[in-house]
């Protein structure tokens, strides 16, 4: 029987709640045990994102765990991950380090294969997932960014608003910035980027900027897939109306992401 558990993780950088979904039947082989990490957007919660994305149903069918870290209102009044603050998204610092510790703790406790941990995020969560991949490239198998911005696209509130409204700066420069931040740990990363063509909150221009960033990082050594979601605004495409910021009539983003993760080996065959 599947199980959904709420718990907390804490270290010297703080404490965050999280929700973990475990499917009814986990793969017997440790090398096949996968974890998909879901980072919610502003004003959302872990339960809200689970309901809106239906990722738990995908985890049940695909036999992988799904982890939903939850931002604290004391860390951000609107429950946004602080993706635009360098002291929060750099390696070994702030929320990036706290999230990495939380993910590692759950993965170890559940016997997950370290090479099958993937990151997914929407909006502010998508930006934070991209930053986390740059901060800890050796820890995560693949990345999915839905309605977000490229990694390292902002360094304060003003630049964050600019990236959201007009689109991030040149993707080539952001790719070089990501490579520099990765340093000796730099590697090619399998990435899928999804964005609503009618998004009025985060400019769809960020889709191409994000794709170009990872094309620079990867230099052709790993796939970067993009999906422009026609008729979709700022919400999880194909999601459930039971969650906030969803676009139920759009193409199924969850299926797109799981199919991509499976194709690149981040999730084993069902």
């Amino acid at each position: 029987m599947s199980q959904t558990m709420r718990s907390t993780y804490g270290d010297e950088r703080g404490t965050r709640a999280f929700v973990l979904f475990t499917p009814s039947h986990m793969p017997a082989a440790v090398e096949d045990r996968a974890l998909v990490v879901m980072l919610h957007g502003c004003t959302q919660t872990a339960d809200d994102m689970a309901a809106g994305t239906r990722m738990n149903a995908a985890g049940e069918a695909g036999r992988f765990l799904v982890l939903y870290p939850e931002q604290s209102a004391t860390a951000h009044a609107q429950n946004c991950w602080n993706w635009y603050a360098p002291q929060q998204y750099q390696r070994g610092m702030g929320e990036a380090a706290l999230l990495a510790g939380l993910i590692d703790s759950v993965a170890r406790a559940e016997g997950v294969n370290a090479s099958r941990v993937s990151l997914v995020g929407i909006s502010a969560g998508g930006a934070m997932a991209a930053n986390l991949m740059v901060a800890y490239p050796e820890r995560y198998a693949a990345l999915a960014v839905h309605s977000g911005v490229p990694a390292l696209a902002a360094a304060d509130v003003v630049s964050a608003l600019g990236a959201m409204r007009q689109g991030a700066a040149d993707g080539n420069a952001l790719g070089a910035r990501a490579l520099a931040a990765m340093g000796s740990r730099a590697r090619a990363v399998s990435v899928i980027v999804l964005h609503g063509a009618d998004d009025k909150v985060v400019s769809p221009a960020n889709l191409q900027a994000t794709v170009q960033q990872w094309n620079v990082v990867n230099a052709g050594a790993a796939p970067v897939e993009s999906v422009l979601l026609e008729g979709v605004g700022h919400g999880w495409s194909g999601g459930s109306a039971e969650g906030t910021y969803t676009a139920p009539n759009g193409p199924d983003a969850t299926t797109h992401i799981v199919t991509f993760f499976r194709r690149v080996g981040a999730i084993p065959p069902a």
Side-chain angles (χ1 to χ4, degrees):
M1 185 174 181
S2 64
Q3 179 181 356
T4 302
M5 173 192 73
R6 173 173 283 271
S7 188
T8 58
Y9 168 84
D11 61 22
E12 67 272 18
R13 296 172 182 87
T15 301
R16 293 294 185 276
F18 66 87
V19 171
L20 177 67
F21 171 80
T22 304
S24 301
H25 303 287
M26 285 286 288
V30 173
E31 60 266 24
D32 289 337
R33 294 179 185 171
L35 174 67
V36 173
V37 181
M38 305 284 286
L39 296 183
H40 63 73
C42 295
T43 75
Q44 293 185 309
T45 64
D47 291 328
D48 186 16
M49 190 175 192
T53 63
R54 298 194 187 95
M55 189 60 80
N56 290 354
E60 177 67 11
R63 299 193 304 158
F64 58 84
L65 295 103
V66 190
L67 172 64
Y68 302 87
E70 188 170 85
Q71 178 63 307
S72 166
T74 59
H76 193 287
Q78 300 299 314
N79 288 87
C80 307
W81 299 103
N82 287 289
W83 62 272
Y84 51 82
Q87 69 272 22
Q88 298 291 346
Y89 65 65
Q90 294 180 16
R91 186 183 182 95
M93 299 176 66
E95 287 175 4
L98 180 59
L99 282 166
L102 189 164
I103 296 165
D104 284 352
S105 175
V106 170
R108 284 194 303 268
E110 300 298 325
V112 170
N113 183 339
S115 67
R116 292 196 193 271
V117 180
S118 302
L119 302 174
V120 182
I122 184 169
S123 194
M128 196 63 176
N131 287 339
L132 196 59
M133 179 62 84
V134 169
Y136 298 93
E138 77 281 11
R139 296 194 188 186
Y140 307 117
L143 169 69
V145 179
H146 193 319
S147 308
V149 301
L152 315 183
D156 52 33
V157 173
V158 173
S159 56
L161 290 174
M164 290 169 62
R165 292 170 180 169
Q166 285 86 44
D170 177 61
N172 290 315
L174 288 168
R177 191 179 301 171
L179 279 170
M182 288 177 170
S184 62
R185 301 177 186 86
R187 70 171 188 86
V189 176
S190 297
V191 178
I192 182 170
V193 190
L194 308 95
H195 212 115
D198 296 340
D199 194 333
K200 301 299 190 292
V201 177
V202 178
S203 170
N206 285 296
L207 183 146
Q208 188 53 44
T210 305
V211 167
Q212 188 56 27
Q213 176 179 59
W214 291 102
N215 279 335
V216 169
V217 171
N218 291 352
V224 182
E225 184 173 301
S226 65
V227 184
L228 181 63
L229 302 158
E230 298 293 346
V232 173
H234 192 68
W236 190 273
S237 187
S240 169
E242 293 180 5
T244 62
Y245 293 103
T246 62
N249 295 326
D252 192 341
T254 296
T255 296
H256 273 296
I257 291 167
V258 171
T259 299
F260 178 80
F261 281 179
R262 186 167 286 127
R263 189 165 69 246
V264 301
I267 296 174

